[in-house]
């Protein structure tokens, strides 16, 4: 094998007692994400996880891209294998790290020896390789304290590896280490970002989408499934619970004051999502709400919406500006799909003058006319589950 991938583990290292559980979870997630790129050996030593191809036909570029999206990894580097010989190691550095060696001003070499039979000590090898590179690259000066570039040499059982400083990883915590939540996924920009932010904190997700056929089109649903698919490299496999929402919306339009339509509709979303959460063992809901962005996102509206849920509603976008949300959406790759022009159920029957500061009392009064429980049950029974 002439290459492998090294992953630097993030916060989990700090978590003392839980460290083992964190590493196991991360390793399982890594294994799953490597699916389709070939056969790899994955193991962890001293807060570095090694991803080693087992066969020549492994797709290293694919694996590298996949590993950049694994939460719990703070940095990653590709390492080049060579013979366990000081000059072969030097040649590998020149060949593999040439560009970085040419552009840096200061550097040092750091050696780790797993194979203690190697004839030089770590320090001797670092000094040899460092000295030679210093001569070969006139732009370079050794600085062991604050080098711009660190060249790492690892002597392992069957080969030596060289690599440079790591690229930034996805950060966060391994998905699944912090339980499960249900994310309300619309087809828009905010909710995929909110889902991603919560997954980043180690939460496994299930998605709920409210679908108002025929007011919203099959393409609108496809768009949401595509967004979920785009999230899977970060979140792992996902189940999207597609809730038939048309009957509820039509009933609300018939029997509720127009200005309360949106807020009451959102309470139904929460009730139904909470039932989904109960069934899949999720402990919170996630929405893409953002303070003051639209009428239903005032503090009063959030209070009235949240009042029907007994579990926390996580709103990670709440304090972000639209531009900041867009930036994340671009980074995680959901933006272009989010802006495709399909309608969302929230745009169906939108009131002309939605109440900005609804009172709990008036909303409850309006709901008295409804058979809330039956409406919720019927919607839940009609859920279509799509595994992605
Ligand atoms: P987004 O960009 O995520 O749609 P938004 O700014 O358009 O957010 P709303 O449409 O009011 O705001 O929706 C607020 C939140 O409610 C969304 O972020 C999402 O979590 C949830 N939501 C809205 N519509 C749906 C839907 N059809 N299915 C599932 N969840 C939805
Ligand atoms: Mg929306």
């Amino acid at each position: 094998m002439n290459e492998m991938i090294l992953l630097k583990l993030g916060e989990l290292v700090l978590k003392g007692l839980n460290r083992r559980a964190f590493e196991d979870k991360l390793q399982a997630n890594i294994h799953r994400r490597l699916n389709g790129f070939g056969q790899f050996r994955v193991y962890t030593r001293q807060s570095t996880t090694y991803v080693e191809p087992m066969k020549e036909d492994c797709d290293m570029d694919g694996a590298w891209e996949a590993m950049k999206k694994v939460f719990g990894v703070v940095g990653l580097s590709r390492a080049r294998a060579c013979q366990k010989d000081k000059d072969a190691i030097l040649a590998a550095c020149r060949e593999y790290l040439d560009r970085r060696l040419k552009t840096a001003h200061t550097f040092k070499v750091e050696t780790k020896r797993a194979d203690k039979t190697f004839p030089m000590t770590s320090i001797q090898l670092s000094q040899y390789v460092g000295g030679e590179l210093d001569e070969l690259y006139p732009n370079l000066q050794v600085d062991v304290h604050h080098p711009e570039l660190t060249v790492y040499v690892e002597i392992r059982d069957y080969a030596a590896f060289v690599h440079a400083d790591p690229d930034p990883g996805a950060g966060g915590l391994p998905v699944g280490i912090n339980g499960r939540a249900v994310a309300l996924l619309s087809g828009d920009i905010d909710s995929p970002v909110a889902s991603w932010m919560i997954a980043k904190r180690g939460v496994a997700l299930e998605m709920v989408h409210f679908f108002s056929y025929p007011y919203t089109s099959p393409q609108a649903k496809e768009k949401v499934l595509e967004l979920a698919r785009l999230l899977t490299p970060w979140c792992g496999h996902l189940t999207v619970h597609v809730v038939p929402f048309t009957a509820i919306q039509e009933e609300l339009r018939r029997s509720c004051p127009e200005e309360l339509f949106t807020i009451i509709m959102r309470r139904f979303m929460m009730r139904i999502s909470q039932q989904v959460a109960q069934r899949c063992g999720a402990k919170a809901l996630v929405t893409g709400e953002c303070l003051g962005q639209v009428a239903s996102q005032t503090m009063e509206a959030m209070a009235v919406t949240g009042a029907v849920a007994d579990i926390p509603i996580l709103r990670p976008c709440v304090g972000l500006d639209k531009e900041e949300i867009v930036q994340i959406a671009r980074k995680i790759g959901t933006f272009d799909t989010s802006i495709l022009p399909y309608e969302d159920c929230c745009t169906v029957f939108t009131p002309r003058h939605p109440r900005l500061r609804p009172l709990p009392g008036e909303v409850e009064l309006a709901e008295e006319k409804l058979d809330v429980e039956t409406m919720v049950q019927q919607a839940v029974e009609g859920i279509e589950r799509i595994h992605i």
Side-chain angles (χ1 to χ4, degrees):
M1 305 305 128
N2 61 4
E3 243 193 333
M4 70 172 173
I5 299 171
L6 308 184
L7 309 174
K8 271 257 155 269
L9 309 193
E11 272 173 81
L12 59 147
V13 187
L14 308 173
K15 299 251 163 160
L17 282 179
N18 289 331
R19 177 168 167 172
R20 198 50 218 262
F22 278 59
E23 284 183 359
D24 289 351
K25 182 62 89 184
L26 184 65
Q27 215 157 296
N29 292 350
I30 288 170
H31 262 298
R32 235 176 281 131
R33 304 298 169 74
L34 287 169
N35 233 326
F37 299 114
Q39 211 183 333
F40 292 85
R41 197 159 86 86
V42 180
Y43 55 93
T44 303
R45 304 264 185 287
Q46 296 168 339
S47 63
T48 299
T49 294
Y50 297 80
V51 176
E52 278 186 37
M54 306 273 282
K55 299 217 177 93
E56 290 298 340
D57 64 357
C58 285
D59 174 2
M60 291 302 285
D61 291 336
W64 173 251
E65 288 308 312
M67 292 302 99
K68 283 187 186 169
K69 297 184 170 130
V70 175
F71 292 131
V73 173
V74 285
L76 60 171
S77 28
R78 276 173 95 148
R80 157 78 65 174
C82 61
Q83 281 189 353
K84 293 196 286 183
D85 163 79
K86 66 184 191 344
D87 291 309
I89 292 167
L90 179 62
C93 291
R94 293 182 62 187
E95 182 197 333
Y96 197 50
L97 304 174
D98 186 57
R99 192 182 49 78
R100 296 177 79 160
L101 288 163
K102 275 190 177 132
T103 50
H105 300 93
T106 57
F107 85 115
K108 74 169 173 184
V109 177
E110 217 176 279
T111 303
K112 267 194 227 158
R113 270 187 337 157
D115 170 12
K116 302 292 182 198
T117 66
F118 190 75
M120 296 166 93
T121 65
S122 299
I123 293 175
Q124 284 170 338
L125 185 59
S126 295
Q127 278 172 349
Y128 174 73
V129 175
E132 294 294 315
L133 292 176
D134 195 19
E135 292 215 345
L136 287 162
Y137 293 88
N139 55 300
L140 281 182
Q141 207 131 44
V142 176
D143 178 348
V144 292
H145 298 297
H146 304 289
E148 218 175 289
L149 172 70
T150 303
V151 172
Y152 295 90
V153 177
E154 299 202 26
I155 310 292
R156 308 196 65 79
D157 290 336
Y158 55 91
F161 285 90
V162 300
H163 61 96
D165 302 292
D167 286 355
L173 301 169
V175 166
I177 203 75
N178 268 334
R180 183 176 296 276
V182 163
L184 284 74
L185 190 64
S186 74
D188 252 320
I189 299 170
D190 306 342
S191 47
V193 169
S195 307
W196 179 87
M197 288 172 83
I198 294 302
K200 184 167 189 268
R201 297 308 302 163
V203 178
L205 296 178
E206 302 234 352
M207 308 311 218
V208 167
H209 177 65
F210 296 93
F211 183 48
S212 310
Y213 188 78
Y215 299 104
T216 60
S217 61
Q219 290 96 312
K221 175 171 148 191
E222 284 310 314
K223 174 182 167 183
V224 170
L225 296 178
E226 172 63 10
L227 285 170
R229 199 188 62 70
L230 291 171
L231 287 170
T232 53
W234 306 93
C235 306
H237 61 84
L238 290 170
T239 299
V240 182
H241 303 254
V242 180
V243 183
F245 207 43
T246 316
I248 289 181
Q249 287 189 299
E250 285 176 339
E251 176 64 37
L252 299 187
R253 181 175 58 166
R254 246 190 323 269
S255 42
C256 291
E258 186 189 313
E259 66 276 15
L260 295 180
F261 172 85
T262 306
I263 191 84
I264 294 177
M265 176 186 77
R266 298 197 55 74
R267 278 160 67 94
F268 274 90
M269 286 185 173
M270 296 304 157
R271 292 183 179 109
I272 294 165
S273 303
Q274 179 157 297
Q275 295 244 343
V276 174
Q278 236 154 35
R279 288 178 190 203
C280 66
K283 299 287 188 293
L285 305 179
V286 181
T287 77
E289 286 164 297
C290 170
L291 196 57
Q293 196 181 76
V294 293
S296 60
Q297 297 176 16
T298 62
M299 283 190 275
E300 290 83 350
M302 286 186 196
V304 174
T305 313
V308 297
D310 309 319
I311 54 178
I313 300 174
L314 309 178
R315 300 173 169 101
C317 294
V318 77
L320 297 180
D321 294 346
K322 194 73 191 183
E323 196 43 46
E324 294 171 303
I325 298 174
V326 165
Q327 256 176 34
I328 299 176
R330 285 189 197 279
K331 177 175 105 174
I332 67 177
T334 54
F335 183 76
D336 291 339
T337 303
S338 282
I339 58 173
L340 293 176
Y342 299 115
E343 52 314 293
D344 179 60
C345 77
C346 288
T347 55
V348 177
F349 315 140
T350 311
R352 279 157 296 181
H353 303 290
R355 180 86 90 247
L356 286 178
R357 311 203 184 284
L359 303 167
E362 64 178 339
V363 172
E364 281 157 19
L365 189 70
E367 284 181 354
E368 269 174 20
K369 289 195 219 108
L370 306 168
D371 184 355
V372 172
E373 209 165 304
T374 308
M375 289 164 75
V376 169
Q377 272 337 306
Q378 278 174 356
V380 170
E381 277 157 27
I383 286 177
E384 176 194 5
R385 284 178 192 79
I386 300 171
H387 301 286
I388 298 192

